[in-house]
Amino acid sequence: MQLPDSDQKKPPNPRDALTVARIVRVNHAGEFGAIRIYSAQILVANWFWADCIPALSEMLEDERNHCAIFRAAMPSRNSRPCRVMQFWSYGGWILGFLTALLGRQGIWACTAAVEAAVHRHLDDQLHFLKQRDFQLYGMILSIREEELAHLRHAEEHLQTPGVMLQVLRKVISFATDSLIWLSTWGDSTRMTHALKANKNSA
Ligand SMILES: [Fe+2]
Ligand SMILES: [Fe+2]
């Protein structure tokens, strides 16, 4: 999905503009990390779990598209990619590689944990953006549908969650949040605080 960038409404005040810039930066970093995770998983799946490749390749294609959409949305919102994307680049790749070595359940546990972490942020973002940046709101709404499809696919392929699987999902979820925090230099926390403050004042 590619939307024209020229007709976007300017956020009404500098604080909102800063939050919008953070949303775009954090989401772009998250999509970049997802690309690295799925790339590493596809590499391992090529050796051991070839049946997972079609779904993983489709997800990788979606993430590339999402990443490009957020990148294109940056200039007009005074936003730039994080300067420390290496955290996501190496961290995401290692996360994907190790979980894929664990087998199919490792792959789908990782996908479910990462997609759930992404999804957690999106509802608050949508709530904030609806009155402030309708174009970005529309982009995220459509991206959320695809992220939800990734999450559903992973959950359908996960076996009944045993203790090991639950621990693995928690560890991956923590690793994902930490990598996003590191790669955005804490912007993800500031974005969450701004969105919470907005929700409480609504
Ligand atoms: Fe995505
Ligand atoms: Fe996704």
Side-chain angles (χ1 to χ4, degrees):
M1 185 194 68
Q2 199 69 49
L3 292 169
D5 212 16
S6 53
D7 61 341
Q8 78 127 346
K9 257 187 5 196
K10 284 269 169 272
N13 65 56
R15 247 173 80 182
D16 284 354
L18 190 62
T19 303
V20 170
R22 279 180 180 146
I23 287 174
V24 180
R25 182 180 298 129
V26 169
N27 290 5
H28 174 259
E31 300 295 353
F32 181 74
I35 291 173
R36 298 287 289 162
I37 290 171
Y38 289 129
S39 300
Q41 288 186 332
I42 288 171
L43 179 78
V44 177
N46 255 315
W47 302 331
F48 304 116
W49 333 109
D51 54 300
C52 296
I53 292 177
L56 289 174
S57 303
E58 222 173 276
M59 290 178 195
L60 176 62
E61 202 43 49
D62 286 345
E63 309 304 2
R64 283 200 173 120
N65 191 25
H66 301 166
C67 194
I69 289 171
F70 287 124
R71 183 67 189 88
M74 282 179 164
S76 61
R77 293 170 178 84
N78 274 331
S79 189
R80 280 180 307 176
C82 308
R83 281 163 293 165
V84 280
M85 293 287 272
Q86 297 98 304
F87 284 115
W88 248 130
S89 184
Y90 297 119
W93 200 89
I94 290 167
L95 190 63
F97 188 80
L98 293 180
T99 51
L101 283 181
L102 294 175
R104 294 179 183 84
Q105 289 301 298
I107 289 177
W108 300 129
C110 179
T111 302
V114 171
E115 297 292 348
V118 168
H119 200 72
R120 258 202 321 270
H121 295 292
L122 297 186
D123 277 339
D124 286 345
Q125 293 182 2
L126 287 170
H127 187 266
F128 177 84
L129 291 170
K130 196 169 186 177
Q131 306 298 328
R132 293 169 174 89
D133 188 333
F134 200 69
Q135 191 198 35
L136 189 58
Y137 172 84
M139 291 174 189
I140 292 180
L141 203 60
S142 131
I143 286 172
R144 186 179 66 162
E145 281 308 300
E146 291 179 350
E147 306 295 16
L148 207 55
H150 300 170
L151 179 61
R152 280 197 197 115
H153 181 94
E155 285 186 333
E156 277 164 18
H157 288 77
L158 273 176
Q159 288 160 1
T160 324
V163 179
M164 278 306 288
L165 216 54
Q166 282 177 350
V167 171
L168 184 64
R169 277 184 77 163
K170 285 217 161 73
V171 170
I172 297 166
S173 189
F174 177 75
T176 308
D177 282 337
S178 307
L179 286 169
I180 291 182
W181 193 90
L182 282 170
S183 66
T184 61
W185 226 230
D187 250 4
S188 60
T189 307
R190 288 186 280 273
M191 179 197 75
T192 308
H193 286 162
L195 294 180
K196 261 195 193 137
N198 168 68
K199 223 175 181 181
N200 291 340
S201 67

